């Protein structure tokens, strides 16, 4: 990425973050950055040194590269902005066959739209439960899903996370919800979920299975129980994203119903 693009992206992204604080002075104080220097970043005149960029991104629980992303991508991490899909459906003829099912599922899935915390045994941080954020939303006659995962970097002195975002589509067939997710950064992974909504209203939980092919050199197939707990009926917010992390199954913030579902089987995950 050239220097002018980096400064432009950083300026736009910092302007978005600034809106969450009472003033620029307040933000600079919490970041530990000189106000005059920060104004140079905000004005697109300079990029921080690697050390300062690392400190700033750590404060926001992001990676340094996240602050330099395209503003459209940054909004997904920051406050649930309009995400760009990894590719256009028109470039994927096989997926076009599912469009009638996607469209016909819209009415049945509308009441399920909202923000959920997704819980499952992690394939990356083994021995932990991954709590990610899933946003189901209606757009252009289909129900889309946006998923954000965040993994804490435990070997860092400043608390930081590594983030991954997925974009996909939802369909309903036989009273089951099917989700297909595409990993957005490396474009090297697909994830599939089949979920059963609860029959009672309002529907708070959905339970099912998550299957994915790991983006490692071994390309292992991984499957595990997954539970979605609704936490909001509107859009994605920074507050939701801050709760995306890994945790122990005994963590009291995991709903009791979810903990029971993830604990039912001795074989909690299956590797191919």
């Amino acid at each position: 990425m050239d220097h002018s693009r980096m400064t432009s992206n950083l300026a736009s992204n910092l302007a978005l973050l600034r809106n969450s604080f009472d003033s620029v002075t307040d933000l600079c104080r919490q970041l530990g950055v000189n106000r005059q220097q920060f104004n140079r970043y905000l004005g697109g005149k300079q990029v921080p040194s690697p050390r300062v960029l690392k400190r700033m991104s750590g404060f926001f629980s992001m990676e340094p590269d996240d602050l330099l992303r395209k503003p459209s991508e940054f909004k997904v991490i920051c406050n649930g902005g309009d995400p760009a899909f990894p590719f256009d459906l028109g470039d994927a003829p096989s997926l076009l066959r599912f469009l009638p099912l996607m469209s016909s599922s819209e009415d049945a899935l509308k009441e399920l739209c909202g923000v959920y915390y997704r819980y499952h045994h992690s394939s990356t941080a083994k021995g932990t439960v991954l709590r990610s954020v899933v946003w189901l939303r209606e757009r252009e006659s289909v129900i889309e899903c946006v998923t954000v995962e965040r993994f804490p970097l435990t070997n860092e002195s400043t608390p930081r996370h590594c983030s991954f975002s997925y974009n996909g589509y939802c369909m309903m067939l036989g009273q089951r919800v099917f989700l297909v997710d595409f990993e957005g950064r490396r474009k090297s992974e697909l994830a599939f979920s089949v979920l059963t909504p609860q029959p009672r209203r309002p529907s708070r939980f959905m339970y099912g299975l998550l299957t994915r092919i790991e983006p490692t050199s071994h390309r292992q197939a991984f499957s595990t129980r997954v539970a979605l707990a609704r936490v909001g009926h509107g859009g994605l917010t920074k507050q939701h994203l801050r709760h995306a992390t890994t945790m122990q199954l005994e963590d009291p913030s995991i709903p009791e119903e979810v903990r029971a579902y993830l604990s039912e089987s001795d074989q909690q995950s299956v590797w191919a």
Side-chain angles (χ1 to χ4, degrees), residues 215-247:
T216 63
S217 58
H218 298 291
R219 290 292 190 269
Q220 286 180 287
F222 171 80
S223 185
T224 186
R225 291 181 176 221
V226 63
L228 270 64
R230 192 200 293 263
V231 293
H233 293 270
L236 206 57
T237 67
K238 285 190 292 185
Q239 187 65 26
H240 293 135
L241 297 177
R242 285 171 181 161
H243 286 88
T245 187
T246 57
M247 57 186 65

Side-chain angles (χ1 to χ4, degrees), residues 87 94-95 98 102 118 120 134 145 147 149 166-171 177-183 188-195 207-214 220-228:
F87 55 84
S94 296
L95 284 177
F98 290 93
M102 292 178 192
R118 185 182 71 178
H120 63 82
V134 176
C145 59
T147 302
E149 299 178 346
Y166 297 76
N167 307 97
Y169 301 92
C170 304
M171 297 162 281
V177 178
F178 294 83
L179 275 63
V180 182
D181 294 309
F182 310 87
E183 196 278 319
S188 61
E189 184 181 355
L190 289 174
F192 304 89
S193 302
V194 54
L195 301 160
Y207 302 100
L209 294 175
L210 167 70
T211 301
R212 68 201 319 169
I213 304 297
E214 291 297 293
Q220 286 180 287
F222 171 80
S223 185
T224 186
R225 291 181 176 221
V226 63
L228 270 64

Side-chain angles (χ1 to χ4, degrees), residues 49-68:
S49 68
R51 179 181 61 83
V52 174
L53 188 64
K54 180 178 179 180
R55 185 170 76 242
M56 292 171 60
S57 63
F59 175 80
F60 292 109
S61 298
M62 298 179 181
E63 287 290 287
D65 287 347
D66 289 334
L67 289 177
L68 303 177

Side-chain angles (χ1 to χ4, degrees), residues 56-107:
M56 292 171 60
S57 63
F59 175 80
F60 292 109
S61 298
M62 298 179 181
E63 287 290 287
D65 287 347
D66 289 334
L67 289 177
L68 303 177
R69 285 192 184 201
K70 294 178 181 179
S72 59
E73 296 176 356
F74 184 76
K75 287 180 181 178
V76 179
I77 298 176
C78 181
N79 61 2
D82 196 20
F85 278 75
F87 55 84
D88 190 288
L89 274 177
D91 297 327
S94 296
L95 284 177
L96 285 175
R97 300 173 187 172
F98 290 93
L99 277 177
L101 179 56
M102 292 178 192
S103 299
S104 64
S105 301
E106 181 188 12
D107 290 339

Side-chain angles (χ1 to χ4, degrees), residues 133-160:
V133 182
V134 176
W135 178 24
L136 303 185
R137 65 173 188 175
E138 179 187 6
R139 193 173 73 159
E140 297 180 1
S141 300
V142 299
I143 304 299
E144 298 176 345
C145 59
V146 177
T147 302
V148 179
E149 299 178 346
R150 294 170 74 237
F151 295 89
L153 302 177
T154 56
N155 60 342
E156 300 286 336
S157 56
T158 302
R160 294 196 299 151

